[in-house]
Amino acid sequence: MPRSAPRHAIDISEEDGVRYLHFGSDWVQGAMRIARPWSLELDYTREMMAGLLLRPPGRWPRSALLIGLGAGSLAKFLYRHYPDCRITVVEINPQVEFVARQYFKLPDDPLRLDVQIGCGADYLQQGKRSFDLILSDGFDAGGRPGMLDTPAFYQSAQARLSDSGLFCVNLLREKGFKRSVERIAEAFLGHCHVFPSSPSGNTIVFGRGNQPVEVGLEVLESRAEALRQRTKLKLQPTVSRLQEAGISNEAPLVF
């Protein structure tokens, strides 16, 4: 039986040209700069696209699964810049989809962007389709991921990745972070990497499918610059933090 939708309020605020999504509190669940609706406004959403630096550019990703819709920022970015990618979004609250379409310019194109109402954990456990990219960014009004931070969820995500697939989850440092990383490492048999925290305090963790990730600093910098020129997404700060954490040409990012 599907899990019931949350009953928290959904609020919208605007300040300095940015529209924000809230779930009944001051906690920001999504944002859009009104003048640039396709851009990634929040630091951590940009960081979640760092997987684009970890695989060779071209035909990857061809399929993406997003757990949690929010303001639709990640879905819109992939929709805009990766026309060959088929995007599935699983959102537990039907009101969030309505708000994303009404106030945050989420495209209505079910052939390329399929929004399904349901629990992301259930979707992963019950389905068989594999994905090149799985992004998990689901929280309740109190910033808790609930079923999206369990061993079963991470194991199901690992099982649904293609050989070249990447799983990416947004974690909060103050919300049981260490145990979350342990659960991810167990599910992915150690094939994961914790990125340095973003300025907002969010931390992005990646896990992979069967194909290893091995990329040096020079390649990261080259791919980040090519991505910036093509999409205006600036991941150079992410690359700089990886460099500060010890990634170099001689000591590449490997997991």
Side-chain angles (χ1 to χ4, degrees):
M1 180 178 296
R3 303 178 198 275
S4 59
R7 297 187 178 184
H8 53 67
I10 297 179
D11 304 312
I12 298 167
S13 64
E14 289 187 15
E15 183 177 354
D16 297 330
V18 179
R19 184 172 295 161
Y20 296 97
L21 176 69
H22 311 267
F23 290 168
S25 69
D26 292 335
W27 191 279
V28 174
Q29 298 283 352
M32 177 187 75
R33 186 162 295 278
I34 296 171
R36 297 196 298 272
W38 299 98
S39 299
L40 296 172
E41 181 64 21
L42 300 178
D43 285 337
Y44 87 86
T45 58
R46 293 192 287 272
E47 199 104 319
M48 289 189 78
M49 287 290 99
L52 299 173
L53 306 180
L54 305 182
R55 294 301 190 199
R59 295 174 60 82
W60 192 94
R62 296 300 301 272
S63 58
L65 172 64
L66 281 58
I67 307 295
L69 175 62
S73 301
L74 296 170
K76 289 190 299 181
F77 180 87
L78 290 171
Y79 181 88
R80 174 87 166 195
H81 299 292
Y82 291 83
D84 292 333
C85 181
R86 295 299 176 260
I87 306 158
T88 302
V89 182
V90 181
E91 168 57 50
I92 197 168
N93 191 336
Q95 296 180 47
V96 172
E97 180 187 4
F98 171 79
V99 169
R101 296 195 190 281
Q102 190 78 7
Y103 297 98
F104 293 93
K105 299 186 183 298
L106 184 72
D108 184 10
D109 183 357
L111 291 179
R112 289 184 52 206
L113 177 54
D114 177 24
V115 179
Q116 300 194 20
I117 303 302
C119 172
D122 291 343
Y123 181 88
L124 281 175
Q125 291 171 5
Q126 296 168 3
K128 295 182 179 180
R129 180 185 170 195
S130 62
F131 296 90
D132 290 339
L133 183 63
I134 299 178
L135 304 176
S136 179
D137 183 30
F139 297 94
D140 64 17
R144 295 177 294 268
M147 294 296 295
L148 304 184
D149 185 26
T150 63
F153 173 74
Y154 294 128
Q155 290 162 9
S156 297
Q158 193 279 337
R160 299 288 293 276
L161 287 176
S162 65
D163 284 345
S164 63
L166 293 176
F167 168 76
C168 174
V169 60
N170 171 36
L171 298 179
L172 306 178
R173 279 283 181 180
E174 68 274 18
K175 302 287 183 180
F177 173 80
K178 182 178 179 181
R179 188 65 191 103
S180 297
V181 172
E182 290 173 352
R183 285 190 282 266
I184 295 167
E186 290 168 4
F188 284 85
L189 304 178
H191 301 309
C192 60
H193 189 85
V194 181
F195 271 46
S197 294
S198 66
S200 64
N202 299 68
T203 300
I204 305 304
V205 181
F206 281 94
R208 65 157 171 87
N210 293 329
Q211 188 180 112
V213 170
E214 182 171 356
V215 57
L217 181 63
E218 186 174 336
V219 173
L220 287 169
E221 291 174 334
S222 174
R223 290 178 181 174
E225 175 59 20
L227 193 63
R228 184 195 66 79
Q229 292 184 13
R230 190 170 70 82
T231 70
K232 296 186 170 62
L233 175 61
K234 297 179 180 179
L235 286 177
Q236 285 81 357
T238 301
V239 174
S240 295
R241 287 199 301 278
L242 287 170
Q243 184 178 15
E244 292 169 2
I247 299 301
S248 65
N249 291 330
E250 294 74 25
L253 174 59
V254 179
F255 65 93

